[in-house]
């Protein structure tokens, strides 16, 4: 089925894009890589009056380091992340995750900003955004603001972004010494989307004791979540099979898992624990 008719704009500045979004009063959509938006438009689950293509706005794409913080433009593609030497060195969980998104075509067109703004519960980057405590910068009619990843995801396909705001930039601190990370997912064999995924980042001190643990989970509920009980169980512990197993057992605490044609709620709850353990085991091995 083709999408319903829409107007198309390709502004050359962010201000122009924001003003177009305001003019349409919530009836227009930003177009980034189009790999989530166009399929749902063809299914007529979204029928925007206009698409605002931000692909011609300079400065929205690229990866750089600024005083120990990694800054990634919202229009940076999955492929650019997968192949970035800077990220492999400073925040390796990002390229690791990008390599397991969809297929080559999806990775060449899809963007990290689109993935985070779309907030698909089965999307990979949203869980990683939580584990990395990403700072998400957006521009709207009132100017710029910064939203923490843990406050950004509101519900299924719903974020803290207002309809006239554009996600412009993602900021992540470069890893502290003695930090390890990993992303593990059970992938849908057809699309690659996560049935359940876990992103883990752990930092230990000179004695091997865990000082910081961050775990983001996707696929379990309608939005990516932080596994706070797991994080709390790890801090102050030496990371080994037993402490990781005990902490991972808490992965689904307080969560009401979704069930669908891919996995029942009970199976998703089980997978949450299994993939949290896998991600933590790999992350601690990489410290
Ligand atoms: C066959 C297939 C397989 C896939 N497999 C996976 C997978 O394994 N894992 C995975 O995570 N994803 C997967 N995806 C989705 C893919 O990663 C998308 O590229 C991504 O989710 C959306 O990015 P995009 O740049 O294409 O955004 P678009 O489709 O252009 O936009 C998505 C939504 O976000 C909004 N948006 C986009 N950019 C911004 C911005 N800067 N500011 C505000 N709003 C914005 C749009 O208005 C739209 O509502 C798959 C897609 C396909 C088609």
């Amino acid at each position: 089925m083709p999408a319903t008719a829409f107007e198309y704009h390709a502004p050359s500045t962010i201000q122009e894009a924001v003003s177009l979004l305001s003019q349409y009063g919530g009836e227009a959509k930003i177009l980034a890589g189009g790999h989530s938006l166009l399929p749902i438009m063809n299914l007529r689950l979204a029928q925007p009056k206009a698409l605002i293509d931000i692909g011609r706005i300079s400065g929205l794409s690229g990866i750089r380091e600024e005083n120990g913080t990694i800054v990634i433009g919202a229009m940076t593609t999955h492929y650019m992340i997968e192949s970035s030497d800077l990220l492999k060195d400073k925040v390796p969980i990002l390229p690791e995750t990008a390599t397991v998104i969809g297929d080559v075509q999806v990775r060449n067109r899809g963007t990290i900003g689109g993935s985070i703004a779309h907030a698909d519960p089965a999307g990979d980057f949203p869980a990683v955004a939580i584990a990395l405590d990403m700072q998400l910068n957006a521009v709207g009619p009132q100017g710029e603001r910064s939203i923490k990843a843990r406050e950004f995801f509101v519900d299924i396909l719903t974020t803290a972004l207002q309809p006239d705001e554009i996600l412009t930039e993602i900021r992540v601190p470069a890893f502290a010494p003695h930090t390890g990370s990993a992303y593990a997912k059970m992938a849908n064999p057809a699309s690659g989307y996560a049935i359940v995924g876990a992103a883990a980042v752990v930092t230990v001190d000179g004695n091997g004791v865990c000082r910081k643990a961050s775990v983001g989970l996707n696929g379990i509920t309608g939005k990516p979540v932080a596994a706070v009980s797991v994080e709390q169980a790890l801090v102050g512990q030496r990371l080994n099979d037993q402490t990781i197993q005990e902490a991972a057992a808490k992965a689904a605490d307080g969560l009401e898992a979704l069930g669908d044609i891919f996995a029942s709620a009970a199976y998703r709850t089980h997978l949450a624990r299994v993939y949290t353990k896998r991600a933590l085991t790999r992350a601690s091995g990489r410290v």
Side-chain angles (χ1 to χ4, degrees):
M1 199 186 333
T4 49
F6 56 87
E7 287 159 33
Y8 173 84
H9 300 271
S12 49
T13 66
I14 279 284
Q15 287 69 27
E16 219 185 309
V18 167
S19 121
L20 279 163
L21 282 176
S22 302
Q23 279 168 38
Y24 281 97
E27 303 272 356
K29 281 274 183 196
I30 292 294
L31 175 67
H35 268 59
S36 289
L37 181 56
L38 299 186
I40 61 171
M41 285 174 65
N42 286 339
L43 290 168
R44 302 208 174 169
L45 296 171
Q47 301 187 14
K49 272 197 182 146
L51 292 187
I52 320 284
D53 183 348
I54 55 171
R56 293 183 204 171
I57 300 176
S58 63
L60 280 186
S61 167
I63 304 161
R64 63 179 194 279
E65 186 172 7
E66 254 180 39
N67 305 322
T69 297
I70 304 299
V71 185
I72 305 173
M75 285 296 284
T76 305
T77 62
H78 305 328
Y79 172 71
M80 289 165 75
I81 290 171
E82 175 184 356
S83 54
S84 162
D85 289 334
L86 178 65
L87 291 179
K88 283 177 196 164
D89 183 32
K90 305 281 182 172
V91 194
I93 192 172
L94 285 169
E96 178 187 6
T97 303
T99 53
V100 296
I101 294 179
D103 52 31
V104 172
Q105 191 183 357
V106 173
R107 296 199 290 276
N108 274 328
R109 293 291 307 172
T111 65
I112 187 166
S115 173
I116 290 172
H118 189 55
D120 190 323
D124 296 304
F125 277 136
V128 177
I130 286 181
L132 287 175
D133 285 329
M134 278 180 183
Q135 183 185 318
L136 303 165
N137 289 355
V139 173
Q142 267 74 50
E144 197 174 328
R145 71 178 176 124
S146 184
I147 309 159
K148 288 184 174 162
R150 289 183 187 221
E151 287 150 24
F152 186 81
F153 301 102
V154 174
D155 204 344
I156 182 162
L157 307 186
T158 308
T159 70
L161 284 178
Q162 295 301 307
D164 51 7
E165 282 185 314
I166 300 174
L167 180 63
T168 51
E169 185 174 273
I170 291 143
R171 289 180 166 258
V172 188
F175 277 3
H178 310 297
T179 296
S181 65
Y183 177 66
K185 70 169 166 179
M186 175 180 237
N188 177 313
S191 65
Y193 275 111
I195 293 171
V196 165
V201 183
V202 291
T203 304
V204 302
D205 65 16
N207 298 317
V209 174
C210 179
R211 289 296 163 215
K212 189 167 183 230
S214 275
V215 178
L217 300 173
N218 53 14
I220 297 158
T221 70
K223 62 173 186 175
V225 289
V228 180
S229 308
V230 177
E231 296 169 347
Q232 288 170 347
L234 289 170
V235 173
Q237 301 286 337
R238 271 174 200 287
L239 299 179
N240 54 39
D241 276 357
Q242 193 192 335
T243 55
I244 288 175
Q245 167 80 36
E246 283 169 9
K250 299 173 188 288
D253 282 9
L255 298 179
E256 212 169 298
L258 299 172
D260 60 19
I261 54 166
F262 302 118
S264 67
Y267 188 45
R268 276 200 159 84
T269 303
H270 169 70
L271 290 178
R273 297 178 185 126
V274 170
Y275 280 83
T276 298
K277 184 179 173 204
R278 286 187 192 176
L280 283 169
T281 303
R282 256 189 249 159
S284 70
R286 292 170 177 172
V287 161

